[in-house]
Amino acid sequence: IEALKLARAAGSTRAVNMVMVGAASRFLPLDEPALEKAIAESFGHKGQDVIDMNLAAFHAGRAAAQA
């Protein structure tokens, strides 16, 4: 998975870890909505733009892991 490239496309190279969380989430016994909620709660204090960027990185990682 080209995590750095996907993170950059999501809005920040700092989101590389979230890309990898998304990729790994396909192999975890947690459903996608629960993970999305946890991401929103974790980054909520930083504002909606940061939440959206992290969710985009998460989804990019999930998609890359499926391909």
Side-chain angles (χ1 to χ4, degrees):
I1 293 175
E2 295 186 43
L4 188 58
K5 180 180 175 183
L6 293 171
R8 190 176 292 119
S12 174
T13 56
R14 295 182 68 188
V16 70
N17 288 336
M18 195 56 64
V19 171
M20 295 309 293
V21 168
S25 72
R26 293 213 169 265
F27 306 99
L28 299 174
L30 300 168
D31 64 352
E32 187 174 355
L35 291 167
E36 291 170 336
K37 181 179 178 189
I39 292 166
E41 289 175 356
S42 294
F43 292 99
H45 68 283
K46 294 188 176 189
Q48 192 61 47
D49 289 343
V50 174
I51 293 170
D52 293 343
M53 184 263 306
N54 279 282
L55 287 171
F58 171 79
H59 289 291
R62 278 187 66 85
Q66 183 178 5

